Amino acid sequence: MWTALLIIHIVSGSLALLAGLVAMTIPKRHGGHTMLGTGYVALVSLLSVSAIGLAALKPSLWWLGVIAVVTLAAALAGRELRRRRPPGWLPLHISLMCGSYVSLTTALLVVNLGLGSVLAWVLPTVVGTPLIARRAARAARAARDASGPGRTGVTVESASRPGPRLRRP
């Protein structure tokens, strides 16, 4: 059972890291980004279930279960925001999805560099947080600009491309 869960964990984690990276770098529009985002959430779900299973089989890995739950919660919340699109959803979507990716990266480094490495625990957050904050702030600015005078009810579909693409709700 351990070996099967470990294989599922490694494969789903590797594919989630790849899918997340590609989703972050391609244009943010319906199609490739949303398909990769859906795949990312599915892979994070599989990864999290396998992590919880591994932690249950070996209680000394309890922290793996905690990271898995937090990572999955962030990815699912980011996906739900995208689905519902409440006012101001985009910056929070970016923060949650990228935050889940930072969590995956942290777990990868901690496992591969060892638990004693402070660098493994801190580096992804130190590098990722300013990048995420910058991107979320850009999205918030684009949303504010798009909803200026004469644009009531207009939301930003994607703030990542030049010239915001506007969509009526």
Side-chain angles (χ1 to χ4, degrees):
M1 181 65 144
W2 174 268
T3 304
L5 280 174
L6 188 59
I7 290 169
I8 291 168
H9 188 74
I10 291 168
V11 170
S12 61
S14 299
L15 292 174
L17 284 166
L18 180 62
L21 180 63
V22 175
M24 284 186 274
T25 58
I26 65 173
K28 309 306 182 266
R29 59 179 73 116
H30 190 70
H33 179 75
T34 53
M35 286 187 335
L36 280 168
T38 299
Y40 174 77
V41 171
L43 289 164
V44 169
S45 299
L46 188 57
L47 172 79
S48 297
V49 169
S50 65
I52 292 166
L54 290 168
L57 291 174
K58 189 173 182 183
S60 65
L61 295 176
W62 64 269
W63 57 271
L64 187 62
V66 172
I67 291 174
V69 169
V70 171
T71 303
L72 180 59
L76 290 173
R79 174 101 171 124
E80 189 64 14
L81 277 170
R82 165 63 175 90
R83 193 179 76 73
R84 292 181 186 237
R85 296 181 184 199
W89 70 273
L90 188 57
L92 188 53
H93 167 77
I94 291 167
S95 296
L96 287 166
M97 296 303 281
C98 292
S100 73
Y101 192 84
V102 166
S103 182
L104 285 179
T105 305
T106 301
L108 174 74
L109 291 176
V110 166
V111 168
N112 289 307
L113 295 181
L115 290 175
S117 174
V118 174
L119 187 63
W121 281 102
V122 175
L123 186 63
T125 301
V126 168
V127 171
T129 299
L131 296 172
I132 295 167
R134 181 175 171 223
R135 184 65 192 92
R138 279 180 53 203
R141 269 193 312 277
R144 276 193 311 274
D145 292 348
S147 64
R151 301 228 184 206
T152 306
V154 177
T155 60
V156 174
E157 173 67 23
S158 171
S160 64
R161 290 181 287 153
R165 186 170 134 203
L166 304 177
R167 182 176 114 353
R168 298 238 178 242

